[in-house]
Amino acid sequence: MLINPDPVVVENSYVKNYDQLYKESIENPEAFWEKIANELFWYKNWDKVLDWQYPYARWFVGGQTNIVANALDRHMNTPVADKVAMIWVPQDDGGVVTYTYKQLNEQVSKFANGLKSLGVKKGDKVMIYMPRVPEQFIAMLGCLKIGAVHSVVYSGFSATALKTRITDAAAKVLVCTNAYPYGKKTVPSLENVKEALKDNKSIEYVIVVERVKTGPVSDSLPPVLGDQRQAEKIASAQSGGPSSSTPVFITWQNLISKQSVQCPTEVMQSTDPAFILYTSGTTGTPKGVVHSHGGYQVGIYATLKWVFDIKPDDIFWCTADAGWITGHSYILYSPLINGITTFIYEGTPTYPDIEIWWKLIDQYKITKFYTAPTAVRSLMKFGEEPLKKYKLDSLKILGSVGEPINPEAWLWFYKYVGHEKCPIMDTWWQTETGMHMITPVPSVPLKPGSAFKPFFGVDADVVDEKGNKVPPNTQGYLIVRKPWPSMLMDVYNNSKRYHETYFEKIPNVYFSGDSAKIDEDGYYWIVGRNDDVIKVSGHRLGSAELESAFVSHPKVAEAAVIGKPDEIKGESIKAFIILKQGVTGDDVLKEELKQLVRKEIGPIATPDAIDFVDKLPKTRSGKIMRRVLKAQELGQPVGDTSTLDD
Ligand code: WTA
């Protein structure tokens, strides 16, 4: 099925001829990206567009910039300064927050000055463990403004997950909320923070946003707030004195109240790190994916602009969370760099009711709406009736990200949300790629379920294990041959993993970990991960982390975890457990194990099913063959078992 674009969409589109521009871009990617970089602000221009020393790409080398200089500063002396930068709607009525660019700049400066008052310097790491509240975004911008490196941890992750990340980053400051509303519940997030900080040596300050003002949670703030010790500690940090090993807690309000609304933006090298975002891989602990100031901003600026045809009056709603890359690139940084209004809703798609998203789209006249297949499927199950009350006529372009979108969900989204007028941009990309990689632009004919073709300047292909292109309609490994500007710079603290994960499986190319097919028309169809990463509701989880949570239970000897297709969530978690000798498995133990994984990783990682088994398929070297387990579970052929032990 081919869906042709609406003529109005084509007329408004920046890119009218995909094939021609793609050809030009790929013949000379450096010239292509340089032209885009020239649309942004640089304190000093680069000496060299790309320094490619395989497997490290360094973009705009010698250039000086700062993401914040483009996201905020450069708008200050233009009409954009008075335009709304951010609209934040809390999950329960009332208290909508809007900031113009100028107001946001002031808040960011105050927070940045607050960080400085705590002794935070260029290159220091700041953890941000927060739900979707305005302060989360202000904190992110505030860090970059002074050259500090942020690392955002998804608020749904547990204390243990937070602790691992804080330790790896050796962060100095942590920003969090005391608690936050989530549907009908209140999540006592500060409890997690306190647990994560036990025995921690690096965090000196914890900045607490009081999202929940009343009740026992706010009373549970550590008692040091505003007292003498806090003042002494800050004074001592400012004079470079010794810091004690227990962190000082300070409220956001106290930190910023007396700070100036002016703060110079730190001049950064293009290749300086802007942030670290931890993501799950095949093995071991999460990897700290490092992104730069210079290249990253160029990639995310161009992709949003062309994929969503960004115009000055756009109100862009990306429903992701800033705990994931989608939130970094397309809730915060790129919309601001493009000078448009970014819309944020604190709640979930079904709270306070299943119509909330449609209501908000009409009320705030959202023009571009970017969400995940899981959300579409979960709303689709309520049928079209709830949508019929709403006009949804402000919408111009829709987007999908995070997992493959099945044609049925695609068509429902297209028909009932977009009224067959809004093309759907199915964008394939990753934490590591920073920006959209395989994606349509609005003017091209679409096939429901296909992510179209590579973005300009992106040399992606589907190959066999030797790196040879596979014939059309044949499944292979999705790879990228040449660097792109917002490509990850490294794995923090672990360059070996950078090499092994991305550049050693198939020589000379970036290995994405996904499988795909290219059809006879050159359209890409993403099949899914070819490693042991599981995508639950678009959230990326590693089987190794899940398994290590299981085996931390005293009754568990071994564990293997697979992702099983799930109608709504994309994948659900199924675990196979070998119990220690003499232990019998029952439902009580199953429930205990589920709770354990929730506690160790977070509610999103709750397993749907647990089987107690006597043995697991392993290779002769003792590696669990999850692929075999999965095939058995799904009643599919198990494939090559030559390395299987017996
Ligand atoms: C999957 C999210 C199919 C893919 C931006 C990738 C997709 C992983 C799509 C990265 C899509 C993302 N179609 N699959 N449009 N977008 N994926 O790092 O398996 O959280 O490798 O980044 O999500 O997940 P991550």
Side-chain angles (χ1 to χ4, degrees), residues 11-53:
E11 194 174 312
N12 287 323
S13 176
Y14 284 111
V15 180
K16 302 242 182 343
N17 188 337
Y18 168 85
D19 291 336
Q20 190 193 329
L21 186 57
Y22 183 74
K23 188 165 171 283
E24 278 169 34
S25 74
I26 217 71
E27 278 166 6
N28 195 345
E30 290 171 42
F32 172 80
W33 290 115
E34 181 166 41
K35 202 166 152 208
I36 294 168
N38 272 321
E39 291 179 29
L40 298 179
F41 170 82
W42 300 79
Y43 296 105
K44 175 180 166 285
N45 268 350
W46 47 91
D47 306 315
K48 199 172 175 192
V49 177
L50 170 65
D51 182 18
W52 176 221
Q53 302 201 16

Side-chain angles (χ1 to χ4, degrees), residues 33 294-304 330 435-436 455 485-486:
W33 290 115
Y296 174 76
Q297 67 178 1
V298 173
I300 60 168
Y301 163 70
T303 44
L304 186 73
Y330 300 113
M435 64 177 217
H436 304 147
F455 187 76
S486 57

Side-chain angles (χ1 to χ4, degrees), residues 190 194 197 204-208 218-234 244 246-251 254:
L190 195 61
K194 285 193 266 180
L197 290 179
E204 293 173 20
Y205 297 97
V206 179
I207 302 165
V208 187
S218 77
D219 298 343
S220 79
L221 272 179
V224 291
L225 284 172
D227 76 357
Q228 189 59 27
R229 200 179 134 226
Q230 181 182 307
E232 283 166 11
K233 177 129 183 189
I234 294 174
S244 79
T246 44
V248 169
F249 287 72
I250 176 169
T251 60
N254 277 356

Side-chain angles (χ1 to χ4, degrees), residues 260-328:
S260 154
V261 294
Q262 267 158 22
C263 172
T265 300
E266 191 75 32
V267 176
M268 305 299 284
Q269 294 300 321
S270 168
T271 52
D272 278 336
F275 64 85
I276 303 170
L277 183 57
Y278 286 87
T279 191
S280 298
T282 302
T283 52
T285 51
K287 296 182 289 249
V289 168
V290 183
H291 280 292
S292 68
H293 273 267
Y296 174 76
Q297 67 178 1
V298 173
I300 60 168
Y301 163 70
T303 44
L304 186 73
K305 182 170 171 183
W306 287 354
V307 173
F308 284 90
D309 257 334
I310 292 304
K311 301 287 153 56
D313 53 359
D314 268 327
I315 303 185
F316 187 79
W317 183 6
C318 166
T319 66
D321 188 287
W324 310 98
I325 192 69
T326 310
H328 284 62

